[in-house]
Amino acid sequence: MDRLDRKILRLLQEDSTLAVADLAKKVGLSTTPCWRRIQKMEEDGVIRKRVALLDPVKINTKVTVFVSIRTNSHSTEWLKRFSEVIVEFPEVVEFYRMSGEVDYLLRVVVPDIGAYDAFYKRMIARIEIRDVSSAFAMEQIKYTTELPLDYMVVDNQKSGDD
Amino acid sequence: MDRLDRKILRLLQEDSTLAVADLAKKVGLSTTPCWRRIQKMEEDGVIRKRVALLDPVKINTKVTVFVSIRTNSHSTEWLKRFSEVIVEFPEVVEFYRMSGEVDYLLRVVVPDIGAYDAFYKRMIARIEIRDVSSAFAMEQIKYTTELPLDYMVVDNQKSGDD
DNA sequence: TCCCCTAAGAAATTTAATTCCCTCATACAC
DNA sequence: GTGTATGAGGGAATTAAATTTCTTAGGGGA
């Protein structure tokens, strides 16, 4: 992967509807080699997938809640089941195992506080958890699916900084 | 918006490379009306954009850090500048204003702990913050851009449950 | 020097998106 | 009841884009 690939990724992270020909023009290639680079990055799994992003307000999921979960160092079995249960809630859009105080952190999206309460009840009905604490986001100031490409490892045969 | 639109959104949230003809078959329409529904939802902003999602490991940003920030109830000016500074870091992929103990929460992606430290130094060099605490994610168990469509408001003339 | 390998590009071909035009059903006015 | 406007669906033609094929140029290594 070189700086051209990086340029391509930068553009596709922003807008994947760009025609290959336009993309090629922007990165300074003709369509064929540009197309082949994209194919290769898809095969290699650098490009995982292409998706449509929806407007949370229009879809009625404008409220984000961060849920911090502490457990009593349960069995491996419990942990497995816990993950399985949590993952299948569509409201849980992110789910991390953490170091430090909190054991797990969830990002949950719902229409309003009431819906969050309903979600919370459904969750604790399905699995026993020692300690849960919820923090509400008042405003989403930034949300992007674009990963920084500055750390990417590139061939620097003919270096460049795009 | 009705259940057909919802079905379309469900599919496009998963994979936006689906050909309109295939999509149409799956939702039980022919291509023309299906295409028109997609156009309309793009115009209406329900579909915000289409993007490529990259593999964080291959891009060398596998570490997620949640950064909790407390401020001393600063001036509006300070808050404005704070947001502007934070937003422009490409490592900050999410940024929320919170209720409760913590004032702001960031999700930051970097290659490793060392890179996080470098990011942290760059951040505090650019803006004064009272209290910062960092929590590292050991594992990303779930991450999806798919919003739950169950809360969407739909015309239920001819009801259905897809 | 010659050959091989890799990447680029032009042109042809295939496939998919988009438009055009027609039909049907519902609703509302007269 | 009849006429008509409106909105949604579908088939076929058209346009645009993706994909393939074939050809060319550069850069080592034998």
Side-chain angles (χ1 to χ4, degrees), chain A residues 18-21 31-32 35-36 39:
Chain A
L18 264 172
V20 179
T31 79
T32 308
W35 180 83
R36 278 195 288 242
Q39 291 305 308

Side-chain angles (χ1 to χ4, degrees), chain A residues 22-45:
Chain A
D22 297 346
L23 196 52
K25 199 172 304 170
K26 282 178 198 269
V27 304
L29 270 178
S30 67
T31 79
T32 308
C34 182
W35 180 83
R36 278 195 288 242
R37 280 164 180 267
I38 297 167
Q39 291 305 308
K40 177 138 198 325
M41 292 193 286
E42 283 176 344
E43 276 170 31
D44 294 350

